[in-house]
Amino acid sequence: MQRLNGSDHGAFLPAVATDIRPIRQLVKARDVAKKLGVSISWVVQHASGKRKPYLPAVKMGPGRSPLRFDPNDVEKFIDECRRIAGQRAGYASR
């Protein structure tokens, strides 16, 4: 417990719990394109929702602002594409 303004008036504030998480490093569309083996425009189209599957992105502001990508989301995207491809392959073998 902390004293309010350091005074001794008997007023106590509860200690504030801080949730300290590491800052995630976001990457550029160029980096994602290189990892996926596709063009930057492919990445931007899938991140904008114009094409499927949707690639999650963080838009850094209004208008034509830069897109950034969480590497964890990119890995999940890859896993989901693998899962979908596996399902399609399963249907084709029937």
Side-chain angles (χ1 to χ4, degrees):
M1 298 283 242
Q2 297 175 325
R3 294 191 187 274
L4 183 61
N5 294 331
S7 63
D8 196 15
H9 297 296
F12 288 95
L13 295 176
V16 177
T18 56
D19 181 19
I20 301 174
R21 292 184 281 171
I23 295 174
R24 295 180 297 192
Q25 183 70 37
L26 300 177
V27 297
K28 296 180 178 182
R30 171 183 65 226
D31 303 317
V32 175
K34 187 174 181 180
K35 179 166 184 70
L36 297 177
V38 297
S39 68
I40 295 172
S41 65
W42 188 98
V43 170
V44 171
Q45 289 175 356
H46 286 261
S48 69
K50 292 179 182 177
R51 304 256 175 146
K52 291 187 180 190
Y54 174 69
L55 177 59
V58 177
K59 191 169 182 190
M60 302 304 288
R64 292 180 46 98
S65 64
L67 294 173
R68 296 295 183 262
F69 299 83
D70 184 331
N72 293 331
D73 289 341
V74 175
E75 292 298 327
K76 289 176 188 174
F77 175 82
I78 293 169
D79 292 341
E80 183 65 12
C81 288
R82 273 193 196 119
R83 187 186 66 75
I84 291 169
Q87 286 177 346
R88 288 181 185 156
Y91 290 131
S93 65
R94 290 183 180 179

